[in-house]
Amino acid sequence: MSAAVLPKNAYINRELSWIAFNQRVLAQALDERTPLLDQAKFSAIFSNNLDEFFMVRVASLKSQVEAGITSPSEDGKTPLEQLLTIREHLIPLLQQQQDHYRLHLKSELLKHKVHLLDYVQLNDAQKSWVDDTFHTSVFPLLTPLGVDPAHPFPFVSNLSLNVAAIIHDPETGERQFARVKVPQKNLPRFVAIPSELSDAEPAPIHTAIPLEQVIAFNLELLFPGMTVEGHYFFRVTRDADLELRDLEADDLMLALEQGLRKRRMGGEVVRLEVPNEMPEDVVEMLITGLAVEEEDLYRIDGPLGLDDLFGLTSLPLPQLKNKSHTGLTPAMLARSQQHLIEEGAIKPEEFENIFAVMRQQDILLHHPYELFSTTVEEFINQAADDPQVMGIKMTLYRTSKDSPIIAALIRAAENGKQVMALVELKARFDEDNNIQWARHLERSGVHVIYGVLGLKTHTKIVLVVRKEQDKLRSYVHIGTGNYNSKTSKLYTDLGLLSTRTELGQDLVELFNYLTGFSKQQSFRRLLVAPVTLRKGMESLIRREIEHSREGRQGHIKAKMNSLVDSEIINLLYEASQAGVTIELIIRGMCSLYPGREGMSETISVVSIIGQFLEHSRIFWFANGGAPEAYIGSADWMSRNLDRRVEAVTPVEEPELRLKLERLLELYLRDNRGAWDMQSDGSFVQRRPNQGEDERNSQLQLIEQWSRGIELS
């Protein structure tokens, strides 16, 4: 499909837009209103996001440069120009992160009796304990690797933290380089020191030192008879994107396993991080040994790999964190919990199975405010055990390690039901986990398939077929998020439980499309990528244009993770010029310029960054007074519209559609986690005006659900 032609100044570079999103994440760490340990968490998320960005997006751009590709992006930048601009934008952000860690986070934690110390700050008793710990728990795990004519520069694995040791041989006078890998997978990054060893008053609750310093200040034990002249830390990031060409791979699982082995070692180096104080000759040695370019070098003013700050969030200091949230069971499902009978909380005759409730009404679920375990997992668990259920079909994109859903599917197969699971092996950075689940399911009698050739299956759907009065009835779940117990507590997502006949028929045909050789070209109610979703969304936007031109106020509200598809953006510009009001809630990348005179005056964009990761997708259209609302797994990105299998469902029950409208309004009124996108593409964080109450949409949702009241 040919891309829409947009002027260069009408499209924001997607990589720079992603950096702007990650800057908003970092801003949560820098915000004095964020509790201290949550500041550490957001700083860790910033670093973790950046690692993946380098492993995938920067690696892709570098590959294009090496291949001699000079074709410009939508905004007119060549791959090389994009790489240089990325670096230019990242350097000040990295400095902000380090300034926050060194000058604010450590000192503020100190006031709360949390001591993050360097080795040189330890007292004698603490140093003795650290040195003993090195002997007993660290030293046996280390393998020093020297570099000389007989020992070439060692391979440095992806995301590894390393010590570069400069060693002097007193007998020969030679100065040599050695590398020691920090064993992060075996030991915690921050080594806790017994608090009773501190001579600080008051006594600390927690004292810790970075693992790399434990090693660095005991290097002489690794090189007996030699003099350690200096030590410096460095960290390497490698290309970790798997290139999978379905047509060339007879066995996708085998191809993936081979690719994963390569990823564990890593492809070309795409980033080298070193501390500011590393001498130039050591830097040059690393650049040469790792075969990196000067622009791949990032000098860091502090500790490397701050993603390990995640470890601090486990400290037992609830006053330094946002209040933890546990979702609730929706009222209509309160008597549909099988475990309540087993626990004696309700009598068997009071129990109403989830299928009976679904036959009465559609159910709109909102996680994490409503529990995933008592809704989606309960639905699949009851389907596995219900003797009237004949079959279960579902897609699995990313699931948790100890997944109750996997256990339920296995139990269903053991109970003689027809069970099919589409496991998307190509879910980035979850490939290994999905391969293991796929094998486990297959061994248990579940029919496992791996999707449509050339497409990634990203849709979140479940179909349960139940025999009732000699007829088969379909029960469906269509969601915006993964069937993952862990992320369901961290991400905001929506799901629809329904027995609508047309949705059931659509899912039957969609699963046939996924499992066989069907060339389905239309669906009754679902918008399905890559078949009908793009055309369907474009048609809905064009309908608002027509309403506006005919004097009926066109209005679109949409919430998603990212908006980068040029054709959709062009159409939104056209809609704005026709007078359609367009309110967008976009957490991540947005390549559209809002509020530009003559181009996008009626478009506004807000980004919500908060305690939970905003992950739900909602699409609402005024339709001349007869509004329609949709939810689903797809963003307005080319990959979702053209290269993935996605499903977006209408929410037709008027009461549920009204809930979605109220939810969108709640987000649009937020003045705590909301950022307004400016006409130049920058973002400004909203803050309450003087005398105005703070409106944090996520906290408002927690409060409303805890009080058992509807959105208002």
Side-chain angles (χ1 to χ4, degrees), residues 31-103:
D31 193 326
E32 72 281 357
R33 297 173 296 175
T34 305
L36 272 179
L37 291 181
D38 285 329
Q39 290 181 25
K41 178 187 74 173
F42 279 108
S43 188
I45 293 171
F46 171 82
S47 288
N48 193 66
N49 288 348
L50 207 52
D51 286 344
E52 185 171 331
F53 179 69
F54 271 91
M55 288 189 289
V56 178
R57 300 302 306 176
V58 171
S60 174
L61 288 170
K62 285 182 66 65
S63 296
Q64 292 176 48
V65 171
E66 290 166 10
I69 295 172
T70 57
S71 304
S73 56
E74 297 279 0
D75 64 317
K77 291 182 175 64
T78 66
L80 179 58
E81 288 171 337
Q82 291 181 74
L83 284 172
L84 295 175
T85 308
I86 286 168
R87 178 182 176 83
E88 179 185 333
H89 281 70
L90 283 180
I91 286 175
L93 299 184
L94 293 168
Q95 187 60 53
Q96 287 179 34
Q97 182 191 29
Q98 289 294 338
D99 288 346
H100 170 261
Y101 174 74
R102 291 182 297 103
L103 306 177

Side-chain angles (χ1 to χ4, degrees), residues 393 420 507-518 520:
K393 297 182 180 182
M420 187 281 289
L507 281 198
V508 168
E509 292 175 1
L510 178 51
F511 275 110
N512 288 341
Y513 172 81
L514 293 171
T515 60
F517 297 103
S518 163
Q520 189 80 15

Side-chain angles (χ1 to χ4, degrees), residues 229 283 611 617-618 679:
E229 288 190 351
V283 172
Q611 178 178 349
R617 287 90 161 182
I618 310 170
S679 59

Side-chain angles (χ1 to χ4, degrees), residues 401-417:
K401 295 285 184 185
D402 301 313
S403 171
I405 286 177
I406 297 288
L409 293 178
I410 291 171
R411 196 168 70 252
E414 291 170 346
N415 288 340
K417 305 182 191 304

Side-chain angles (χ1 to χ4, degrees), residues 279-535:
E280 281 302 318
D281 60 334
V282 181
V283 172
E284 286 302 319
M285 196 177 301
L286 289 173
I287 286 176
T288 302
L290 294 167
V292 300
E293 305 292 334
E294 184 68 31
E295 57 265 25
D296 302 327
L297 176 68
Y298 285 79
R299 296 180 183 272
I300 306 298
D301 190 18
L304 310 179
L306 286 182
D307 56 306
D308 289 319
L309 289 176
F310 272 123
L312 295 178
T313 62
S314 62
L315 291 175
L317 298 167
Q319 71 275 22
L320 301 185
K321 310 174 193 178
N322 275 315
K323 187 178 178 181
S324 61
H325 168 69
T326 301
L328 301 173
T329 300
M332 73 278 290
L333 296 179
R335 293 192 298 116
S336 301
Q337 307 300 310
Q338 187 71 43
H339 69 90
L340 294 180
I341 299 177
E342 298 163 3
E343 295 166 3
I346 63 173
K347 298 175 182 177
E349 59 270 22
E350 295 174 329
F351 176 76
E352 185 178 27
N353 72 36
I354 201 165
F355 306 109
V357 180
M358 289 175 65
R359 286 195 297 273
Q360 298 166 28
Q361 60 189 316
D362 286 355
I363 303 170
L364 183 67
L365 304 172
H366 194 190
H367 313 297
Y369 312 106
E370 293 176 299
L371 287 166
F372 186 75
S373 59
T374 61
T375 55
V376 179
E377 286 179 3
E378 185 69 21
F379 171 50
I380 296 169
N381 270 312
Q382 289 192 28
D385 298 326
D386 189 319
Q388 290 178 250
V389 169
M390 302 289 103
I392 303 172
K393 297 182 180 182
M394 74 178 299
T395 57
L396 294 171
Y397 190 73
R398 301 184 196 276
T399 192
S400 47
K401 295 285 184 185
D402 301 313
S403 171
I405 286 177
I406 297 288
L409 293 178
I410 291 171
R411 196 168 70 252
E414 291 170 346
N415 288 340
K417 305 182 191 304
Q418 292 295 313
V419 183
M420 187 281 289
L422 189 150
V423 180
E424 180 47 76
L425 296 182
K426 301 188 292 295
R428 184 176 288 141
F429 300 117
D430 272 311
E431 300 96 341
D432 200 12
N433 187 45
N434 286 1
I435 286 172
Q436 302 311 315
W437 279 132
R439 287 195 166 133
H440 190 35
L441 287 166
E442 283 181 322
R443 286 194 296 268
S444 304
V446 174
H447 299 293
V448 178
I449 60 167
Y450 307 117
V452 180
L453 196 65
L455 299 173
K456 186 179 284 190
T457 303
H458 188 249
T459 184
K460 328 297 183 186
I461 52 176
V462 179
L463 171 66
V464 172
V465 180
R466 194 169 185 263
K467 190 172 184 179
E468 299 171 0
Q469 298 177 344
D470 296 325
K471 293 182 180 179
L472 296 180
R473 185 193 293 266
S474 294
Y475 294 79
V476 307
H477 176 266
I478 303 167
T480 68
N482 297 307
Y483 295 111
N484 186 308
S485 305
K486 181 180 178 182
T487 58
S488 72
K489 299 171 185 174
L490 306 173
Y491 294 9
T492 71
D493 272 305
L494 294 162
L496 181 70
L497 288 169
S498 178
T499 61
R500 289 181 181 265
T501 302
E502 288 186 311
L503 289 181
Q505 291 171 332
D506 276 352
L507 281 198
V508 168
E509 292 175 1
L510 178 51
F511 275 110
N512 288 341
Y513 172 81
L514 293 171
T515 60
F517 297 103
S518 163
K519 292 187 177 180
Q520 189 80 15
Q521 293 300 307
S522 64
F523 294 87
R524 296 162 186 80
R525 304 301 297 152
L526 292 181
L527 297 177
V528 175
V531 184
T532 62
L533 180 57
R534 178 183 285 281
K535 289 181 181 178

